[in-house]
Structures are given as C-alpha cells and as structure tokens.
Amino acid sequence: MVKKWLLIPASLLTAGLMMTACSTETDGTSVAASSSATAEAPVDLALVDPGTYPTEPAAPYGTATTENILDVEGQRLAEFVTLPFEVDPELTEVSMPTMVIRSAKNLDVVLSPGVGTGPANGKMLYGYVSTASTPVANSQEVDRALVQMVLRYSDPAAAAAGAAEMHNALINNPDPALKEAPEKVGTLPNTLISSSGTADEVSLNAFTAHGDYVIYTWASAPTAEKDWTSTSVATALKLQEPLIDKFPATPTKEQNGGKSAMPEIDQNDILIYAVPEEDADAGLGNDMAVYGPRGMAHRSTNPALTYDTLTDAGAKHNAQYKTIVYRAATPEDAQEISDVFIEDLIKSDGYAPAPSPPGLPAATCVTKDTTDGTQDYCYVTNGRYVGEASALDDRTDLDQLISAQYLIFEKADQDAE
C-alpha cells in the first residue's frame, strides 16, 4: 500500500501549463507576440543589476563522487521513467513522492514502512519515482492516481529477489490494515501483484523484475473504476520496459572489471549556465541536475505541456538549479519555449504581465497574488538559451536573479549539443 503523499509546492515545479492558442492581453495584443517583441528591445547593461549573483558560467562540475553519485544517476534515470500522463492523459496533478530514490530507506515514502528494507533490497542501488493523479473538484472526491517507480539493482538476480521481497512483505504484513491480497492479471504473468481497497477506492501494487531493474506501479481508482487499475498497470509496464532498456546506466564496479566508474555531473555542459543554489532541496535530489524533456516533465505543473514543448523545441538538455535553463535547437525554438510557458501562466493559471527588470527588456515577467504571498516568474532568452526564475514576495531578488542569468548566457556556447 502506498502512503498518501503531499502535494509538491508550486515553487518546486517548473512553470509550464496547458499549451493553447495565443492568449491576448486586454489591448488585444498576443502575449506571445508581445514577449517576442520585447525580447528584441535593446538591453541596457548600465542598468542591469545582478546583485551578488554570479555573472559568469560556473567552473566545470567534473565527475560525480561517492557523496553525490546516487543523485546524479537518479537524475539521469528520470529521463527513462514513464510519466504518469503517458499512461493516462488525465494524470496531470503532480504530487509527492516524485524524487530520486537514494537507498532502500527512501522506499518508506513510497511503500508501507519496512516493505522495502529487507535484506534482498540491500542490493538496490538507486531509483526514481514519479507520482500524479487526476484533478478533482474537491478534496472529498476519490481521484485516479498512479505511482511509477524504477529501481536499479546490482544484477538481475538481486532485482528478482528485491521484487519478491517487497511483494511478500505486502501480502504478509502483520498489520491487518496494511495487508494486501495477492492478485493475478492474465496479461502480466511475470508481474507480482497485490490489491487492497475500501468501499470507495481500490488499488493495485505491481512489481516486475526486468534485467537489473524492478519496475513498480501503483494504481488507485474509485471502486466503480476498478478495471482502470489493472489496465493502467499493464499500460505502464508496456511503456516502461522498452524505455528502461535505453538507459545508459553507469556500470557498477563489478561490471567495469573491478574499477570504479563515475559519470560526469554535467555531461552536456548545460548546468554550468544555471545560477547555483545556496542550499540543497531538502534531500530530494532534484536540483543541481541535468534533465531531458521527460525528466523536466516529472515535476512540472503541467507535465504534458513541458514534455511536448521541450521535445518540439529540441531542448534535449536542460538544467535545474536556482534557475532553470533550457537549451533549444535554435533561437526561434528558445523563444517559443518562453512564449508558451509565459502565455499559459497568464491564460491558465491567472498570472498577469509584470514589468521587466531594469535595463533588461529581453526578460518577460508575470505576477500573481497567492495565499502565501506574491509569486513572480521571469523568463529571458539569449540565443538558444532560455532562463526561468521565480520568487515569492521578493521581486528585487527575482530581478537580480534573472539579470544574472542573462549575463551568464552572454558567455554561453551557442553551438553546444
């Protein structure tokens, strides 16, 4: 049984929402056209104020270390974990747990306590989990929800043992409230499945050993939609197996002839252009990261828009740190990313256009009053690069942050892959 999760704060999510036709401002001007025109206005460097933020690209981050390799590999794995909306297009309400799995202990936030901490799962290396549900009109309604997780083990035997151990822990749980019933789904002969339910909702837990990996799917739905759970588990597995086969996992020491292998932290030279964060992201392993379109979409306020927009723009490599950096195929594609995200913040989420920072008309900003304070976003393009920054109740800091991002882009490699 999966724990009930907490919603991810909006400040931790990328800003893309639903892609629609161009929305308009009150004077009838297209938001996209307005931001594109603004981006062509000259920048006055004498007025641009980056505050104390760096204005040069960071030094190369080098190779991963024993302290951060689990984060780096987990972030790389995110690009090869099926998005919930790919299973059901209505699964767009991203929530926790959506994060890197650093060890078997992290499985307690996904499964019932202790389910993933048996001896067989001591050979689990790392993983990534993504969670989403269908939006509902009020909190009393039962929604459809899906958790998709991929765990890497030391070898196929360890993966098979880990899957069996977690499945058995669920069906043999000594707590009657947490004990699951074993199930069979005819189309999934190699998957270990259990179920639980109430008068209002039902759920399935499914573990499939696949090479060095365990693929886990949890699907929950109103009792009247029980068939959706088995169909979704089958669909998730069908999508996930070929996707994880493409993951270029860093070999273990045993797979590498007894020699340790450490991946580059910034394999595609994109993280060096993001403004670094002063503090870590509360142990979730999601920042100081490089993601492709799917990796970015896992934590987006609208995963479908983020995935489709970045894919269409050729943004194969993107960075998440204090700022978000997207690198598109062309300057025109970069402007499209900015236009689409800004446009939908205005049209779909109630943001209003806001002034650009001093001296930086190339930046397009929006603002919105929330129960937590005033939330602001700014986007800036420079060549093939797009920078995204946000702030809550601190517009001065946001102006300095996006200004620093623009100045960093002035030194960015426009020919990078």
Side-chain angles (χ1 to χ4, degrees):
M1 179 182 295
V2 172
K3 286 186 172 183
K4 290 295 182 182
W5 49 80
L6 300 174
L7 291 178
I8 300 176
S11 61
L12 295 182
L13 296 168
T14 52
L17 300 174
M18 291 294 293
M19 184 183 297
T20 59
C22 290
S23 58
T24 57
E25 299 182 38
T26 54
D27 64 356
T29 302
S30 162
V31 173
S34 175
S35 60
S36 295
T38 300
E40 296 173 0
V43 173
D44 187 345
L45 294 178
L47 297 178
V48 173
D49 175 19
T52 59
Y53 288 115
T55 58
E56 297 283 338
Y61 285 97
T63 58
T65 66
T66 54
E67 286 75 27
N68 61 21
I69 187 172
L70 297 180
D71 283 351
V72 173
E73 282 291 279
Q75 292 158 359
R76 294 179 65 237
L77 177 63
E79 191 64 18
F80 301 88
V81 174
T82 298
L83 289 154
F85 89 83
E86 295 178 294
V87 177
D88 181 337
E90 295 185 10
L91 294 169
T92 58
E93 194 76 21
V94 176
S95 58
M96 285 294 287
T98 298
M99 55 187 278
V100 171
I101 301 295
R102 291 190 178 102
S103 73
K105 292 181 180 179
N106 290 150
L107 295 177
D108 277 359
V109 304
V110 183
L111 306 164
S112 298
V115 168
T117 54
N121 278 290
K123 294 186 178 181
M124 193 275 285
L125 303 179
Y126 57 84
Y128 193 87
V129 59
S130 184
T131 302
S133 61
T134 55
V136 294
N138 62 68
S139 60
Q140 301 305 310
E141 296 184 52
V142 177
D143 54 9
R144 300 193 303 276
L146 187 128
V147 175
Q148 185 68 8
M149 180 169 67
V150 177
L151 304 173
R152 185 187 177 195
Y153 288 74
S154 58
D155 53 64
E165 183 177 79
M166 289 184 284
H167 172 71
N168 290 332
L170 287 173
I171 64 176
N172 296 316
N173 198 310
D175 185 343
L178 300 177
K179 189 172 184 177
E180 303 251 338
E183 292 277 352
K184 290 288 185 181
V185 174
T187 58
L188 302 172
N190 300 317
T191 299
L192 302 172
I193 302 175
S194 61
S195 66
S196 64
T198 66
D200 297 321
E201 61 184 318
V202 294
S203 64
L204 289 183
N205 282 283
F207 299 92
T208 305
H210 181 82
D212 291 348
Y213 302 93
V214 169
I215 298 168
Y216 169 76
T217 305
W218 178 82
S220 176
T223 300
E225 300 178 35
K226 181 180 179 180
D227 289 348
W228 180 88
T229 60
S230 57
T231 299
S232 295
V233 166
T235 300
L237 184 60
K238 182 179 180 181
L239 295 172
Q240 186 63 77
E241 287 186 312
L243 186 58
I244 196 58
D245 288 343
K246 299 176 182 178
F247 177 48
T250 299
T252 63
K253 190 174 182 179
E254 292 73 20
Q255 294 168 338
N256 199 43
K259 299 179 180 179
S260 296
M262 291 290 181
E264 293 286 332
I265 294 174
D266 188 13
Q267 293 184 341
N268 306 103
D269 296 326
I270 180 73
L271 187 61
I272 57 173
Y273 300 130
V275 177
E277 181 66 79
E278 296 91 343
D279 301 307
D281 63 349
L284 297 180
N286 288 313
D287 68 359
M288 194 181 170
V290 177
Y291 296 114
R294 183 175 281 106
M296 293 298 294
H298 282 297
R299 302 177 68 247
S300 170
T301 55
N302 186 301
L305 175 131
T306 297
Y307 180 74
D308 290 343
T309 302
L310 297 183
T311 300
D312 292 345
K316 298 178 182 179
H317 310 298
N318 312 280
Q320 172 96 39
Y321 219 168
K322 190 172 182 69
T323 56
I324 297 173
V325 173
Y326 309 99
R327 182 164 60 207
T330 68
E332 292 75 20
D333 289 321
Q335 191 61 53
E336 182 69 10
I337 292 172
S338 177
D339 288 347
V340 168
F341 288 174
I342 283 285
E343 183 176 299
D344 263 9
L345 281 170
I346 292 172
K347 185 171 183 178
S348 301
D349 208 34
Y351 281 81
S356 299
L360 193 62
T364 305
C365 303
V366 292
T367 187
K368 177 182 177 181
D369 290 332
T370 72
T371 55
D372 297 322
T374 301
Q375 180 72 53
D376 294 288
Y377 279 92
C378 285
Y379 288 78
V380 69
T381 61
N382 191 324
R384 297 168 54 213
Y385 293 85
V386 184
E388 174 188 321
S390 63
L392 183 66
D393 279 340
D394 197 340
R395 180 57 203 264
T396 298
D397 181 66
L398 177 60
D399 285 350
Q400 293 176 339
L401 184 58
I402 202 67
S403 296
Q405 183 64 84
Y406 177 85
L407 295 174
I408 290 172
F409 285 162
E410 287 284 271
K411 291 90 172 180
D413 181 1
Q414 294 292 339
D415 296 321
E417 290 298 322

